[in-house]
Amino acid sequence: DAGVTQSPTHLIKTRGQHVTLRCSPISGHKSVSWYQQVLGQGPQFIFQYYEKEERGRGNFPDRFSARQFPNYSSELNVNALLLGDSALYLCASSWDPVTASGYTFGSGTRLTVV
Amino acid sequence: DQQVKQNSPSLSVQEGRISILNCDYTNSMFDYFLWYKKYPAEGPTFLISISSIKDKNEDGRFTVFLNKSAKHLSLHIVPSQPGDSAVYFCAATAGEKTSYDKVIFGPGTSLSVIP
């Protein structure tokens, strides 16, 4: 079975640009969460979607948005990129939205903003 | 203000010896704790968890100890193997069944097991 897949794996963008990151969950998983991991810190929660509805949003500006599609894949969009948005963006999927040990992470997208 | 702290950014241990990774938390509402392991170029993977009703949980070579009064937990790996070299994240939440925005991760400790 394929795990959580994220694309692209690496990305370089210029300040002010927009970026779209994609995530395909494990088959059967209906919950997708997005995290930002800055070097030297743990993953910080950005969004959670379950059954295509937003279930949670972390302390991130409105430049960050996300959505979940009917096939449960998800996109994270970031507008007006700042240097501080450079990070590893992790997607995690799970069968249910509330079992803390139940989610599986993808390998992440490394975003560099220059 | 960090609610989950891992004060050792890195740790080196000889193969076969014990690795002890520490984690402290400040929020007294936390009652469920998780450890994740992350290899380079991979996402974190769930390793072991413990509920506050226990003070110890074992899974093979991995044991987590919880000291609620000190708000401290530790992960013991015995014996350590070179394949254990990874970054270990401690995470905490209020309740095993909780929304994912409530799971707070520490900054991680990079473990190197030297052959």
Side-chain angles (χ1 to χ4, degrees):
Chain A
D1 274 347
V4 178
T5 56
Q6 293 187 242
S7 62
T9 55
H10 294 84
L11 200 52
I12 299 175
K13 288 286 191 177
T14 304
R15 273 181 302 175
Q17 285 189 315
H18 162 270
V19 68
T20 298
L21 310 181
R22 295 179 175 83
C23 173
S24 294
I26 290 173
S27 178
H29 284 191
K30 299 180 179 180
S31 174
V32 171
S33 299
W34 287 95
Y35 293 82
Q36 181 195 65
Q37 188 189 356
V38 174
L39 197 62
Q41 296 182 21
Q44 301 288 314
F45 174 82
I46 308 175
F47 285 108
Q48 183 189 20
Y49 278 78
Y50 178 68
E51 289 279 19
K52 293 152 281 181
E53 299 277 333
E54 181 182 305
R55 275 189 64 99
R57 182 187 181 111
N59 188 22
F60 281 81
D62 291 343
R63 299 185 295 107
F64 288 76
S65 64
R67 54 180 175 167
Q68 187 176 35
F69 298 99
N71 66 354
Y72 302 109
S73 67
S74 178
E75 281 182 356
L76 175 70
N77 294 284
V78 186
N79 291 324
L81 285 166
L82 303 174
L83 296 179
D85 296 330
S86 296
L88 179 68
Y89 288 85
L90 295 163
C91 170
S93 77
S94 59
W95 185 78
D96 75 66
V98 294
T99 301
S101 61
Y103 51 84
T104 302
F105 283 93
S107 301
T109 294
R110 173 72 61 187
L111 172 64
T112 302
V113 182
V114 297
Chain B
D1 185 31
Q2 279 191 338
Q3 297 185 68
V4 179
K5 303 176 185 181
Q6 294 176 259
N7 291 324
S8 298
S10 62
L11 177 68
S12 284
V13 171
Q14 287 290 131
E15 180 179 3
R17 306 293 289 268
I18 183 171
S19 294
I20 300 176
L21 294 93
N22 293 306
C23 177
D24 297 288
Y25 60 96
T26 58
N27 190 334
S28 57
M29 297 297 292
F30 290 152
D31 62 2
Y32 188 73
F33 306 90
L34 310 97
W35 286 93
Y36 288 83
K37 179 169 73 174
K38 184 182 183 302
Y39 293 118
E42 295 184 15
T45 56
F46 170 71
L47 190 58
I48 192 170
S49 63
I50 188 166
S51 167
S52 62
I53 62 172
K54 296 183 174 181
D55 53 18
K56 176 182 172 181
N57 190 26
E58 283 183 83
D59 184 1
R61 297 185 296 111
F62 301 89
T63 303
V64 56
F65 295 92
L66 176 62
N67 182 334
K68 292 183 286 293
S69 61
K71 294 192 177 71
H72 175 83
L73 60 155
S74 59
L75 175 68
H76 292 212
I77 307 173
V78 184
S80 301
Q81 299 174 353
D84 296 328
S85 297
V87 176
Y88 290 78
F89 293 102
C90 172
T93 186
E96 181 180 359
K97 297 286 187 181
T98 186
S99 55
Y100 289 163
D101 60 327
K102 304 294 193 295
V103 180
I104 307 299
F105 286 84
T109 294
S110 178
L111 173 66
S112 296
V113 180
I114 303 163

